[in-house]
Amino acid sequence: MKDSQHIDRRGQFEIMGLAVIVILVTLGVLFALSTLTGEDSGLQQTFEQKRLAVDFLKASLDTQAPDCAKATFRELFQDCMQARSIACKMGAAQKTSCEYLRQRYSELFGQTFEKYRQKYYFKVEGGGCLGEAAKLCAITQGNVVGSAGPMPCPGERETSSQPLPTRSGVITLTLEICS
Amino acid sequence: MSKKGQIQLFETIAVLLVFFIIVGFGMAFYFYISKESAIKEHRRALELNAITTAQKVSTLPELDCIQVGVHLEKCFDTLKMDSFAKILNDPNMQAKDAYFDTIGYSKLKVIKIFPTGGAIDIYDNKPADSVSTEKTFLPINTYDPLSKIYGFAVLEVSFYER
């Protein structure tokens, strides 16, 4: 009787010891998972990406095109939405303001975001993207590519928008910087 | 009886040994995580320095564009840029020392993208004991007073870590 009680108590102590070890190991694994997988993007990265999006849009819209009678890119967007009266020369070819902008923005992104390996999505909207306004919306581009072409950032992002008023409605330029 | 006692003693020692091994692994892991966090914080501080330097330089009156008496933000006059680069890179003028408080150990490069290409190294102050570099870029406009055209460029700031 005494021996069986003694064996039971020993068994209980051993089980308790095992339980303590299991709890310690579980806590350790949980701590490791939370520390290793938790990504802290932080305020600084948010500010940096927001600043980049704002500065890029502003600088690009104020840029002048000598090939298009020195019109700014802002004026070219407005022309693309409206009269399409500005003719641009690219090499020997004549381009509309819409085609010119698409090409130039592709070059600008290639020398900036692509070069510094930053994912982005540049969206141009206006006139519901219907009829003639579809050519404006075709300027949309990005390096996050899905089956249907460039797509918005899949996860976290910082966004800057710039509305441009025109007689035919408002053009909205949106630049997303992916985290 | 003494054998039972010995067995129990060995059991206790084994349990304590396992316990201390687990604690040892935990401490090693904690120190590894602390070290990684410290490295991350250091990198963030460097990035912040690079961004701060870029922001300061983008508003320098020695470089900025003026239109109708108004100083334009994040716009560099190309003629001012060329002159400023010449002055800073002239070892006889010692102008680099005067700007050290503002710009520090860093490299400033303007990469012109549109309508013309080219790059200008405005300032380069690399310490002898530099171990790594943190880069940031800032989209800016450039203004050519001769052709009166605003272009697009990138101000690349490389901050040297000592």
Side-chain angles (χ1 to χ4, degrees), chain A residues 55 58-64, chain B residues 65 73-77 81 138-143 150-154:
Chain A
D55 289 345
K58 186 197 168 296
S60 65
L61 288 174
D62 290 340
T63 301
Q64 283 176 289
Chain B
C65 310
E73 253 192 34
K74 296 189 176 88
C75 177
F76 285 5
D77 185 303
M81 249 194 320
L138 183 68
I140 57 170
N141 285 121
T142 54
Y143 178 66
Y150 285 92
F152 185 93
V154 156

Side-chain angles (χ1 to χ4, degrees), chain B residues 134-146:
Chain B
E134 192 60 42
K135 251 188 216 180
T136 191
F137 77 93
L138 183 68
I140 57 170
N141 285 121
T142 54
Y143 178 66
D144 185 347
L146 298 174

Side-chain angles (χ1 to χ4, degrees), chain A residues 46-77:
Chain A
T46 305
F47 167 76
E48 163 81 353
Q49 287 172 341
K50 185 82 181 177
R51 174 195 66 82
L52 195 55
V54 168
D55 289 345
F56 186 93
L57 273 185
K58 186 197 168 296
S60 65
L61 288 174
D62 290 340
T63 301
Q64 283 176 289
D67 320 301
C68 308
K70 294 189 184 179
T72 61
F73 282 19
R74 181 180 279 107
E75 287 162 350
L76 289 176
F77 271 114

Side-chain angles (χ1 to χ4, degrees), chain B residues 6 24 51 59 66-67 70 76 81 90 95 111 127-128 139 153:
Chain B
Q6 280 173 2
I51 294 165
T59 56
I66 300 179
Q67 194 179 45
V70 176
F76 285 5
M81 249 194 320
D90 186 342
I111 303 168

Side-chain angles (χ1 to χ4, degrees), chain B residues 17 25-26 38 60 62 68 70 81 83 87 96 103 112 116 119 126-127 136 146 149 162:
Chain B
L17 194 66
F25 275 130
L60 278 178
E62 291 88 331
V68 201
V70 176
M81 249 194 320
S83 306
I87 292 168
K96 218 182 249 188
I103 308 174
K112 293 189 220 176
T116 54
K126 184 175 180 177
T136 191
L146 298 174
I149 291 205
R162 299 177 70 196

Side-chain angles (χ1 to χ4, degrees), chain B residues 24-155:
Chain B
F25 275 130
M27 280 176 66
F29 184 72
Y30 174 76
F31 286 130
Y32 172 76
I33 295 294
S34 297
K35 183 184 153 199
E36 290 298 311
S37 295
I39 291 171
K40 255 191 203 173
E41 277 307 310
H42 182 60
R43 193 127 284 265
R44 273 190 200 157
L46 270 185
E47 280 175 12
L48 190 59
N49 280 331
I51 294 165
T52 309
T53 305
Q55 294 289 340
K56 277 188 208 171
V57 169
S58 69
T59 56
L60 278 178
E62 291 88 331
L63 292 167
D64 69 358
C65 310
I66 300 179
Q67 194 179 45
V68 201
V70 176
H71 291 258
L72 299 179
E73 253 192 34
K74 296 189 176 88
C75 177
F76 285 5
D77 185 303
T78 52
L79 292 181
K80 282 187 181 180
M81 249 194 320
D82 290 337
S83 306
F84 194 48
K86 275 192 191 132
I87 292 168
L88 284 181
N89 293 318
D90 186 342
N92 296 327
M93 295 194 73
Q94 297 177 340
K96 218 182 249 188
D97 298 334
Y99 284 89
F100 180 76
D101 285 340
T102 307
I103 308 174
Y105 288 117
S106 60
K107 180 177 178 179
L108 304 178
K109 187 176 180 178
V110 172
I111 303 168
K112 293 189 220 176
I113 295 170
F114 182 84
T116 54
I120 302 176
D121 285 331
I122 296 178
Y123 174 94
D124 191 358
N125 194 350
K126 184 175 180 177
D129 54 349
S130 166
V131 294
S132 66
T133 313
E134 192 60 42
K135 251 188 216 180
T136 191
F137 77 93
L138 183 68
I140 57 170
N141 285 121
T142 54
Y143 178 66
D144 185 347
L146 298 174
S147 61
K148 293 186 173 40
I149 291 205
Y150 285 92
F152 185 93
V154 156
L155 171 63

Side-chain angles (χ1 to χ4, degrees), chain A residues 102-177:
Chain A
R102 181 169 171 75
Q103 178 68 32
R104 288 302 182 203
Y105 266 94
S106 175
E107 288 166 11
L108 291 185
F109 285 125
Q111 300 271 350
T112 52
F113 295 115
E114 304 271 0
K115 182 180 166 186
Y116 294 100
R117 294 197 195 110
Q118 175 66 62
K119 298 276 182 205
Y120 70 95
Y121 177 66
F122 179 58
K123 188 177 179 185
V124 181
E125 288 176 299
C129 295
L130 299 167
E132 286 297 305
K135 286 184 183 160
L136 173 76
C137 299
I139 301 171
T140 295
Q141 51 196 277
N143 60 359
V144 179
V145 183
S147 54
M151 47 183 266
C153 293
E156 285 184 25
R157 74 206 71 171
E158 284 306 316
T159 306
S160 177
S161 283
Q162 178 70 55
L164 300 178
T166 71
R167 285 194 303 271
S168 310
V170 177
I171 303 170
T172 306
L173 308 180
T174 305
L175 179 59
E176 289 180 10
I177 311 281

